[in-house]
Amino acid sequence: MTPADGSEADFRRRFDEIVADMPADQIHELLGTLLGGGSDVGAVPPAPDLRRAPLDQPAILTMRLDLEGATPPIWRRLELRSDLTLAELHRIIQISFDWMDSHLHRFALGGSPFDPSAQLFLCPFDVEEGEDEGLPEAEVRLDEAVQEVGDTLRYVYDYGDDWQVRLKVEAVRPAPEDAPAAVVVGGRRAGPPEDSGGITDAESLAEVLADPAHFDLDAVQQALEAEERGLLVPGAHPALAEVVEALDGTPAAYEVSLRLIDVVSAPEPPEEDELASALHPVLWFLDRAGDGGIALTQAGYMKPDMVIAASIVVPDQDTWYGKNNRETLAIHVLDFREALQSVKLLRKYKGQLLPTRRAAAAKTDPGAVWELLVETLIPQKEGFVREATALLLLHIAGMRPGESVSFDQVAEELTQRGWRVGGDPVGFMSIRELPAVSLLRSFTPAEEGTSRALESFSPVARTLAATVLAPPISED
């Protein structure tokens, strides 16, 4: 626009005359007025600092955590010390919803975690990247964010699946000196599993969870207590304690600590018919070894007729190519037979395979054989196989429906613990060849016309793994 009584050049000349003798601050003020309140056109104003001064004395904040958009509601009620850092709160949320901390997260005050006008508290990765303005979560206390009934803090986990949790204060009371960091006092329904696409409705969750309505308050509390104590679960199998303690301070330590939620207490054993079906290959060998023994060749292998019969019983053998009339050719039969020897169910004696004394006493009782496996699946002898078996069982115990174990991940964690095989980092085959793999893989025959992933295990295998590792059930 130009002045009505002159050209644009006349307007510019008159403006220059006006500002020629103005101080710089007056020129900036004039420009701000002309531009409508500021020269940074389009700039987003910095987010306000909504933090408060921490409470003079620690308090217990009763907070309800709701997974937003869940139908029916998925929620947890926690009693939290107000002097927790938000980084510590993040770990508590992960345990409460049975997540594995495999993705990014952040907290927010005054809006959603992706609202530019909200105050953000960022995870270490986001702080390092520097793309969003916010404070490191480890430097902010819970009571700097919320203090009074009705105060709300927001949290998001996994920016892809976008699990958003609303944390709202329901009650405030003074904290006893010995108050734990977190106590779970209520909750409903299972949390959605990792990488399941952001689903929150019961119908969809039923496709990826065995029981979407399941919520075990005691198990969550035990896991929270284990988290506060550190990596170890009191009373857990000594081999697990050894490898977990050795992992402390490594990159794998945190994920391993979250897996311990699955072994804080022994699960109920399978029903008798389910147990008998799962243990069929084991019982088949014990039955034949107890009925006069299984004859061996001079080289120490089973004879062809027994190998052919066993090939029908050992589930993975039907995936093997070639003739199944020699153990050196029927590799899965050989692995399984040697695994039964490693767990002290079979022994070689005078050219035969016979049941060990303890296995003979159990005969073919599925419950008794199950108890023997609980005792012997992890070797007593210290060394790589003992720790590798314990760590593998921890991964199997934490499997969810449709998931598989990553042998590569187990191998990487053992490498971080310090193990080497032939001078090299632990590899896939070192895990694949563990006797426990052959035994637990035998629990689920493949359905006709289908094949099973090499690293998949049945629910019964998961139960056995958790039972082996968890503290024994008290007789009291």
Side-chain angles (χ1 to χ4, degrees), residues 19-32:
V19 302
D21 298 323
M22 276 189 179
D25 57 344
Q26 290 186 19
I27 295 175
H28 291 159
E29 183 178 351
L30 174 61
L31 289 173

Side-chain angles (χ1 to χ4, degrees), residues 42-276:
V44 177
D49 189 348
L50 302 178
R51 289 175 300 160
R52 312 178 204 182
L55 296 172
D56 293 335
Q57 298 294 327
I60 299 297
L61 306 179
T62 301
M63 302 190 73
R64 174 160 163 153
L65 285 61
D66 280 274
L67 182 61
E68 296 190 341
T71 53
I74 298 172
W75 58 273
R76 308 289 183 258
R77 180 171 285 116
L78 299 170
E79 294 182 345
L80 302 168
R81 286 185 61 98
S82 65
D83 54 0
L84 286 169
T85 68
L86 295 188
E88 292 169 327
L89 177 58
H90 156 67
R91 294 168 70 104
I92 291 167
I93 295 171
Q94 290 287 303
I95 291 171
S96 300
F97 287 94
D98 198 16
W99 290 328
M100 299 301 295
D101 198 23
S102 302
H103 303 281
L104 302 179
H105 67 276
R106 63 178 55 180
F107 292 88
L109 268 181
S112 78
F114 299 111
D115 184 345
S117 66
Q119 182 167 17
L120 304 182
F121 307 110
L122 305 176
C123 66
F125 181 87
D126 281 347
V127 172
E128 184 176 347
E129 288 295 292
E131 293 185 2
D132 293 301
E133 181 182 348
L135 297 171
E137 63 181 6
E139 299 177 7
V140 180
R141 285 175 35 152
L142 176 59
D143 57 8
E144 291 181 89
V146 293
Q147 296 181 353
E148 302 173 356
V149 173
D151 287 349
T152 299
L153 178 67
R154 295 183 181 276
Y155 170 88
V156 64
Y157 172 61
D158 187 346
Y159 300 167
D161 282 353
D162 194 29
W163 310 120
Q164 297 210 29
V165 179
R166 183 180 69 253
L167 300 85
K168 187 173 183 179
V169 179
E170 295 183 324
V172 182
R173 60 182 173 86
E177 290 186 5
D178 59 350
V183 176
V184 58
V185 294
R188 288 291 184 275
R189 305 185 67 79
E194 298 269 350
D195 302 315
S196 54
I199 55 175
T200 54
D201 62 286
E203 183 177 354
S204 300
L205 288 171
E207 298 178 4
V208 294
L209 288 172
D211 181 8
H214 177 73
F215 171 69
D216 190 336
L217 186 145
D218 290 337
V220 174
Q221 181 57 37
Q222 289 172 336
L224 290 172
E225 292 171 1
E227 167 71 15
E228 188 166 8
R229 285 191 301 267
L231 288 178
L232 299 182
V233 175
H237 195 287
L240 178 64
E242 292 161 11
V243 69
V244 169
E245 186 174 14
L247 282 168
D248 196 10
T250 69
Y254 180 53
E255 182 169 338
V256 169
S257 73
L258 291 177
R259 291 185 182 278
L260 294 177
I261 189 174
D262 297 297
V263 297
V264 294
S265 60
E268 290 293 325
E271 297 293 334
E272 184 175 351
D273 57 344
E274 185 181 16
L275 195 56

